[in-house]
Amino acid sequence: MHEHGFVRVATSTPQVRTADVAFNRDAVLAEARRAHEAHVDLLVFPELCLSSYAIDDLHLQGAMIEAVEAAVGEIVKASADLSPVLLVGAALMHKGRLYNCALAIAHGKLLGVVPKSYLPNYREFYEKRWFASGKSLRGETIRVNGHDVPFGTDLVFASEVLPHFRFFIEICEDFWAATPPSSLGALAGATILCNLSASNIVIGKSDERHMLCRSQSARTASAYVYCAAGHGESTTDLAWDGQGVIYELGDLLAESERFSLHPEQCVADIDCERIVMDRLRIPTYNDAAEAAGRPEETFRTVAFRHAPHGGAIGLIRPVSRFPFVPDRADRLDADCYEAFNIQVDGLMRRLESTHSQSMVIGVSGGLDSTHALIVAAKACDRLGLPRSFIRGYTMPGFATSEGTRSNAWKLMEAVGITAEEIDIRPAATRMLEDIGHAFAGGEPVYDVTFENVQAGLRTDYLFRLASQHHGFVIGTGDLSELALGWCTYGVGDQMSHYAVNSGVPKTLIQYLIRWCARGDQFDDETDAVLLAILDTEISPELVPAGEDGEIQSTEAKIGPYELNDFFLHHVMRFGQKPSKVAFLAWHAWKQASAGTWPAGFPDSRKNEYDLAAVRMWLEKFLQRFFAFSQFKRSAIPNGPKVSSGGALSPRGDWRAPSDASAAVWLAELDARMP
């Protein structure tokens, strides 16, 4: 895990007792030891957890202040044998003022102290009665138990052991401010933003915390770790829920049980390398750092050594098997509707701008043409055009099965388009004869030329038909095929007038078709055909079945689309190294019974892959994606981007040379994963 840039982070809501410093000290250490056993690298406690937060004027008692400082010393000493960096909340005196502070402790050393910037003094809060604001404190030191340590809001803590493990601290109300200190902390290079909070609970406040954590982690391209006080705080006038949440780049990784009577730890592995790679891709991030005066040049970096656990300690974070597929159960319909209608709207606009009198599409009975056809049907519905405006052609070749041909006809009739059939075998035979191909002489030679003659003729027919009927050709090829180069260049399925599926990977097409079939998008007859097509083996059907009846299988040749789409997302969106992609893929796919699957995903399709299979197909993906197929992507027609995971248009997310080598990626994989 650590070798791939992950850092194990946890929030902890310890069992505390109001104003009982010794009890709270022991509770903090008990949780620290528990985190050590769980191989945690960074442990975040609540605000003022050593004294407890809601003790009002007791904060100003000399005995309390001394007890807290003494407890800090004992925790620092005990931390020498613990792996986590501890972030502990305590009130400390400095130059005649009392500050609400967060203390960073690691490996027997107090690394630094961060004061709270914004002190709430409204409604139920009266912090200015007890504490001084630290928002202007920069470049200072504070003396704690006889030692001078960095003190201020300008501290970024950086591990000397784990690259990219750099954290910044803010405290409770700082987070609710219009300009949170953590924004500058992130621009100064911190990848993990930590919030020690008390934050009493009222109706709706949990949602507000989620909103702020999600927003700040997305806006600052960081991870945000939030820990609120829980059971044991004074309930004189307030209540506490002990909420802990961990977000990364706007994604929720983990959340604690709220209102628990027992100590709670919320644990997740944060991908600091992914955060850094995402920042590299966002020039706006660098522009913001420049506009803020380059905080990394004025903030102090507190370097520290610690002892993270080595070896294989698993991976504690959700890893989506289908990163392109919507997986928010509460938003599933809305997300699918959005994805589907991005395609529909793009096609509508193209239809309006071309003033065409028809849309021409080849319908094979396979997934891609099926999806393109139902998108076209919805475009007609929304524009008030009859579906007969769509001219669908099924074009059987030498290997077309009766099943797919039948499905193509059933689909065209159910959708209600203008449907025709053109047998391309006579024209293909003539072309093979003209070029002197062995198949024309009776030999069973089924090479790439044999396949491309059929694929090219289909596209050629569609373009001539579009010209004849004053229409344009709707491309059916998808994002996965573009990534792998699994399409016939030029006069073939790589070309069209508008590539409506070019931003949609195969796994998302499968899911959207299933969503359409199980929703109210079409009638029962159409839904039945859609489900039948989903159950059909993915095949180009360009080579006749063998003597054993086995048909040409796309996935047997280029690998499972579900793995290829996983590889594509992590390589294209975040530039992840091949060995890390393999690490993530194995954790996502090694056990079908573990983790979550998209809602409604068929049990019969729930596959699993061992590490050897992941590595084998990843190597093939790298060869095809980097060294073979870019020239096809460099010349693709227009088509809408659908997913934040990216698209492969040279005018959009992905630009690359057509004659690049894959050597760098293959060498990295071979070196890290022989």
Side-chain angles (χ1 to χ4, degrees):
M1 181 198 80
H2 289 120
E3 290 182 10
H4 293 292
F6 292 96
V7 173
R8 183 158 296 173
V9 174
T11 67
S12 173
T13 306
Q15 186 100 39
V16 296
R17 187 182 294 166
T18 307
D20 190 337
V21 176
F23 182 91
N24 297 343
R25 172 205 61 206
D26 293 344
V28 165
L29 286 173
E31 285 296 281
R33 295 185 186 101
R34 185 155 74 109
H36 173 84
E37 294 300 319
H39 313 309
V40 169
D41 300 308
L42 177 64
L43 183 60
V44 182
F45 287 98
E47 178 182 14
L48 295 172
C49 58
L50 283 183
S51 59
S52 60
Y53 174 83
I55 61 173
D56 300 332
D57 289 351
L58 301 187
H59 283 299
L60 299 177
Q61 289 287 311
M64 176 63 67
I65 294 170
E66 288 185 4
V68 166
E69 185 171 356
V72 168
E74 294 173 67
I75 292 173
V76 169
K77 183 179 179 180
S79 72
D81 300 322
L82 301 174
S83 62
V85 179
L86 309 177
L87 304 188
V88 179
L92 295 177
M93 279 185 60
H94 176 67
K95 295 182 179 179
R97 301 178 184 89
L98 190 65
Y99 291 91
N100 181 344
C101 299
L103 287 67
I105 300 168
H107 220 43
K109 184 178 179 182
L110 177 58
L111 304 176
V113 176
V114 177
K116 189 171 184 176
S117 292
Y118 295 97
L119 303 177
N121 221 61
Y122 54 88
R123 295 197 293 271
E124 64 264 45
F125 302 109
Y126 294 93
E127 284 194 38
K128 289 184 180 180
R129 180 181 176 99
W130 313 299
F131 304 117
S133 168
K135 62 177 177 291
S136 62
L137 294 178
R138 301 168 70 88
E140 296 209 20
T141 60
I142 186 172
R143 194 164 185 81
V144 183
N145 292 312
H147 299 280
D148 292 325
V149 298
F151 180 51
T153 58
D154 57 342
L155 303 180
V156 172
F157 300 86
S159 169
E160 295 178 343
V161 182
L162 300 178
H164 310 312
F165 176 19
R166 300 169 64 89
F167 65 87
F168 178 85
I169 307 169
E170 61 188 1
I171 303 173
C172 201
E173 183 75 6
D174 294 346
F175 185 40
W176 270 267
T179 54
S182 59
S183 295
L184 285 179
L187 294 175
T191 52
I192 302 174
L193 310 177
C194 306
N195 190 313
L196 289 73
S197 178
S199 186
N200 63 298
I201 188 62
V202 293
I203 295 170
K205 199 170 189 179
S206 173
D207 291 340
E208 184 180 359
R209 294 171 187 154
H210 274 291
M211 179 269 292
L212 290 170
C213 290
R214 182 182 182 193
S215 173
Q216 188 69 343
S217 70
R219 187 183 303 277
T220 61
S222 67
Y224 202 92
V225 184
Y226 176 88
C227 184
H231 187 76
E233 278 285 355
S234 172
T235 55
T236 301
D237 290 302
L238 304 172
W240 317 85
D241 65 335
Q243 184 171 23
V245 294
I246 302 173
Y247 275 85
E248 177 186 303
L249 298 176
D251 297 328
L252 177 63
L253 298 186
E255 161 174 36
S256 68
E257 178 187 344
R258 297 168 60 215
F259 300 106
S260 174
L261 297 180
H262 307 289
E264 273 290 309
Q265 284 194 6
C266 169
V267 185
D269 294 335
I270 290 172
D271 191 345
C272 291
E273 186 177 73
R274 174 180 179 236
I275 290 168
V276 171
M277 294 300 290
D278 199 42
R279 290 176 178 178
L280 289 179
R281 284 163 168 70
I282 308 174
T284 304
Y285 184 86
N286 183 63
D287 292 345
E290 288 202 8
R294 289 265 168 216
E296 75 271 19
E297 296 177 0
T298 56
F299 273 54
R300 290 176 288 171
T301 298
V302 180
F304 63 90
R305 296 196 65 79
H306 57 127
H309 290 269
I313 59 173
L315 187 67
I316 305 175
R317 67 183 274 125
V319 182
S320 174
R321 292 179 171 92
F322 301 97
F324 288 104
V325 173
D327 60 359
R328 299 184 296 175
D330 60 328
R331 295 275 300 163
L332 187 63
D333 281 343
D335 288 345
C336 289
Y337 169 87
E338 190 170 54
F340 187 68
N341 279 280
I342 289 170
Q343 294 179 269
V344 172
D345 194 75
L347 184 56
M348 288 167 55
R349 179 70 187 96
R350 183 50 56 99
L351 186 58
E352 290 173 334
S353 67
T354 58
H355 305 290
S356 299
Q357 297 176 26
S358 68
M359 287 186 281
V360 175
I361 182 171
V363 182
S364 67
L367 288 170
D368 293 343
S369 64
T370 295
H371 188 64
L373 177 56
I374 60 178
V375 167
K378 281 296 179 184
C380 285
D381 294 349
R382 290 184 59 188
L383 288 171
L385 296 170
R387 291 184 181 176
S388 58
F389 185 87
I390 305 168
R391 304 189 67 87
Y393 297 88
T394 185
M395 292 177 277
F398 296 117
T400 302
S401 68
E402 183 54 36
T404 55
R405 178 178 172 274
S406 173
N407 281 338
W409 269 106
K410 288 176 182 176
L411 180 65
M412 292 190 292
E413 290 171 347
V415 175
I417 68 172
T418 301
E420 295 186 36
E421 180 172 306
I422 298 174
D423 188 342
I424 66 167
R425 287 174 293 183
T429 301
R430 174 62 187 269
M431 182 176 284
L432 291 167
E433 290 173 351
D434 289 346
I435 66 175
H437 192 273
F439 177 81
E443 297 182 44
V445 176
Y446 308 126
D447 56 9
V448 172
T449 303
F450 176 80
E451 295 186 40
N452 284 352
V453 162
Q454 297 172 77
L457 274 172
R458 286 177 174 135
T459 302
D460 201 356
Y461 272 117
L462 292 174
F463 271 92
R464 299 329 132 216
L465 288 162
S467 178
Q468 182 179 1
H469 296 285
H470 307 290
F472 68 96
V473 178
I474 300 174
T476 60
D478 63 51
L479 183 67
S480 306
E481 293 176 340
L482 287 170
L484 297 162
W486 193 250
C487 51
T488 302
Y489 181 75
V491 186
D493 56 331
Q494 179 260 355
M495 187 49 61
S496 64
H497 286 122
Y498 191 68
V500 74
N501 284 344
S502 61
V504 190
K506 191 78 74 177
T507 49
L508 181 53
I509 281 178
Q510 291 170 314
Y511 201 75
L512 289 176
I513 291 175
R514 187 175 290 111
W515 173 76
C516 286
R518 292 177 173 172
D520 297 320
Q521 301 297 318
F522 297 96
D523 59 28
D524 291 344
E525 183 183 0
T526 305
D527 293 345
V529 182
L530 294 178
L531 291 174
I533 290 170
L534 279 171
D535 289 334
T536 303
E537 169 81 22
I538 299 174
S539 170
E541 292 195 328
L542 295 171
V543 174
E547 293 182 3
D548 58 359
E550 186 174 352
I551 66 168
Q552 185 182 17
S553 171
T554 297
E555 292 183 296
K557 176 77 172 178
I558 61 175
Y561 275 116
E562 54 198 11
L563 280 185
N564 282 319
D565 284 357
F566 186 97
F567 302 153
L568 174 62
H569 181 273
H570 289 277
V571 167
M572 176 173 63
R573 175 65 182 84
F574 294 105
Q576 305 278 34
K577 295 189 293 288
S579 60
K580 183 169 184 174
V581 175
F583 176 80
L584 290 168
W586 181 61
H587 277 283
W589 288 97
K590 64 182 178 180
Q591 189 176 353
S593 60
T596 59
W597 292 84
F601 198 86
D603 288 339
S604 61
R605 296 290 183 93
K606 293 180 178 178
N607 299 318
E608 60 184 45
Y609 301 96
D610 62 20
L611 195 53
V614 167
R615 196 222 183 276
M616 177 184 70
W617 292 122
L618 177 57
E619 181 173 346
K620 291 182 182 295
F621 171 86
L622 296 172
Q623 289 170 330
R624 296 189 71 94
F625 183 75
F626 287 107
F628 166 69
S629 55
Q630 181 58 41
F631 78 100
K632 298 182 180 182
R633 297 191 289 268
S634 294
I636 61 173
N638 300 162
K641 176 179 175 178
V642 173
S643 167
S644 62
L648 289 170
S649 168
R651 300 166 296 276
D653 282 4
W654 185 258
R655 295 163 179 81
S658 295
D659 50 1
S661 166
V664 167
W665 293 269
L666 294 171
E668 196 278 342
L669 180 64
D670 197 50
R672 300 286 299 276
M673 192 179 177

